[in-house]
């Protein structure tokens, strides 16, 4: 039983106060898959050009991420993003976005992917997310994220899409934009009326809040001594969240999900997001071990229990 | 056994997106005392002018706040502050500050206050805080807060003062300013080297973090559906924190404090800060009952346990 992850695979150029990398493996689907791979086998769906390096495919394969669904477009180039972070790393400016082969991404799932029970739909055009979901049979748990561009300019299409999801995972500004409510508790109530029975609102360094009808759960962000590079932290949160649930075989039958498992999934999300920030790009995952993840989970318990 | 609270007593003019009040009872010592009064008898030290209204003294007295230490300056006027909040209430602009009798505040403690075991020093000039502490005998637990003005312009005096404290309670920007460190974990380490064995960093709507050497505890902010007026919320946090500890008779012998009690105190601080925001000024405390406080404490448990 595997988790299917759909989204961007990219090369990133990143500058933070701690250094600069001109080109490194990135993309939402990459971060989500790497983080989730500690909990469950992952099958990735994405697109790259023929500049996609064998060592990058090897890094994913080293974490047992299945790449049969990674389309390679001959003569095309991989999505490239370049950005620079502010001194406190709470803001970033995009210097360059070359969509390249990602502009025509139209995910077709390999037959071997279609009967998997867990699906995470990374941030791509909502109609494509909907189409991917339609290619799956026997899903037990489906969710994903989105961004302000789709919320603003593809609202109808987005609402059609998330109506079928079990969970939506977005950040606080996106939740405000989607709901039209400034207050997060009211925003959550509105969004839970749009279809998903579970909503996770990410708040960056301040952690995340899980909402279901009539309950919520608040997880703090891990207090790192040094944030090297926040790129991908939100996607690693998503990977830890859905990876944990998929690994535990958690499903949603008529909206009924084990709430205790959802709480633990949020903590594992925070754990994976925190590790991501400790090195540039995906570097932390080259050495990270499962026992380090469980030790940090225990740290979360210790620093929140009263 | 009572808690002694020192600080400003004021009249405030406040405008938030929910309304406008031209003049209402305020001041740090007032908010701290009202919040703490649910846990322990409070003795207030402050100064007012002869415009101080009998109904405001009556409100404090209705919560068993002892006013023997509230100096009344004949012919003087009470400290007045006026401010307006931004649309999201995360910022506020000061429109007017008339220090009035507070400019010459030089607290002298009534004899009946001097042998109390618990002292909270609200934000006043550090030398005055130090002087007040010197008037007390037999203190079991001392702490207080400060602000950027004293950190910037009275740094030496401030360091002399907090060296003698058990705990310091400040917000995140003040912690960064005091320590010279942007990262809160590093900032806390620096500040714990300055004297206090316990540090609480308030993060507004994002909650608070308790730091001691080798441990920390993170409490979320309560998710209110409507924030009416955040004025005094940080002071009510302080009142809930020290009030709970004083009510439980918690002391610091050589820096050893019951860490479980400190964690609970932080949650009670968050609880009291959250109630404060539900109405203008001190209005929520006109009706608030202890069982509502304990119910909200239980809500904090429910929304953080995993």
């Amino acid at each position: 039983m595997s988790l299917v992850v759909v989204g961007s695979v990219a090369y990133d150029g990143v500058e933070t106060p701690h250094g600069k990398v001109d080109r490194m493996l990135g993309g939402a689907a990459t971060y989500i898959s790497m983080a989730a791979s500690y909990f469950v086998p992952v099958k990735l769906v994405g697109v790259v050009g023929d500049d996609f390096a064998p060592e990058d495919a090897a890094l994913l394969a080293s974490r047992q991420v299945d790449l049969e669904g990674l389309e390679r477009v001959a003569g095309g180039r991989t999505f490239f993003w370049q950005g620079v972070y502010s001194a406190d790393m709470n803001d970033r400016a995009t210097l360059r976005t070359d969509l390249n082969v990602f502009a025509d991404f139209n995910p077709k799932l390999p037959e071997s992917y279609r009967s998997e029970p867990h699906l995470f739909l990374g941030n791509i055009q909502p109609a494509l997310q909907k189409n991917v979901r339609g290619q799956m049979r026997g899903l037990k748990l489906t969710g994903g994220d989105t961004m302000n561009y789709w919320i603003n300019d593809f609202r109808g299409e987005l609402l059609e899409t998330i109506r079928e999801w079990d969970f939506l995972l977005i950040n606080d500004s996106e939740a405000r934009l989607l709901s039209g409510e400034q207050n997060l508790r009211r925003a959550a109530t509105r969004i839970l009326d749009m279809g998903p029975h579970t909503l996770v609102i990410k708040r960056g360094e301040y952690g995340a809040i899980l909402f279901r009808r009539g309950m919520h759960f608040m997880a703090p962000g891990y207090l790192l001594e040094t944030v090297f590079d926040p790129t991908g932290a939100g996607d690693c949160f998503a990977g830890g969240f859905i990876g944990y649930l998929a690994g535990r075989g958690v499903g949603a039958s008529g909206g009924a999900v084990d709430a205790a498992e959802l709480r633990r999934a949020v903590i594992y999300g925070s754990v994976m997001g925190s590790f991501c920030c400790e090195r540039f790009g995906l570097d932390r995952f080259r050495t990270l071990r499962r026992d380090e993840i469980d030790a940090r989970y225990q740290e979360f318990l210790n620093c929140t229990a009263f």
Side-chain angles (χ1 to χ4, degrees), chain A residues 1-13:
Chain A
M1 306 268 262
S2 296
L3 164 69
V4 175
V5 172
V6 185
S8 60
V9 176
Y11 284 112
D12 292 341

Side-chain angles (χ1 to χ4, degrees), chain A residues 256-303:
Chain A
V257 189
D258 184 333
E261 290 284 38
L262 286 173
R263 289 171 181 240
R264 290 179 207 118
V266 170
I267 298 297
Y268 277 111
S270 290
V271 166
M272 299 311 290
S274 73
F275 279 120
C276 178
C277 297
E278 291 185 352
R279 299 278 184 282
F280 268 93
L282 290 155
D283 276 358
R284 186 63 180 89
F285 299 109
R286 296 180 194 275
T287 58
L288 183 67
R289 300 182 319 267
R290 177 61 198 249
D291 64 303
E292 294 177 286
I293 293 169
D294 291 324
R296 186 159 292 181
Y297 181 93
Q298 188 60 46
E299 274 191 78
F300 268 90
L301 262 177
N302 296 344
C303 75

Side-chain angles (χ1 to χ4, degrees), chain A residues 144 162 166-171 174-175 178-179 184-193 196-202 208-213 215-217 241 262 266:
Chain A
I162 65 172
D166 294 302
F167 67 88
L168 174 66
L169 203 162
I170 51 181
N171 70 32
E174 291 158 355
L178 178 59
S179 65
L184 285 190
R185 203 160 174 168
R186 291 165 184 251
T189 302
R190 289 270 187 112
I191 294 170
L192 290 174
D193 282 340
H197 51 75
T198 299
L199 168 68
V200 180
I201 298 181
K202 295 176 288 179
I209 313 176
L210 168 78
F211 289 96
R212 285 168 57 80
R213 221 171 280 278
M215 75 79 91
H216 68 274
F217 168 67
F241 176 78
L262 286 173
V266 170

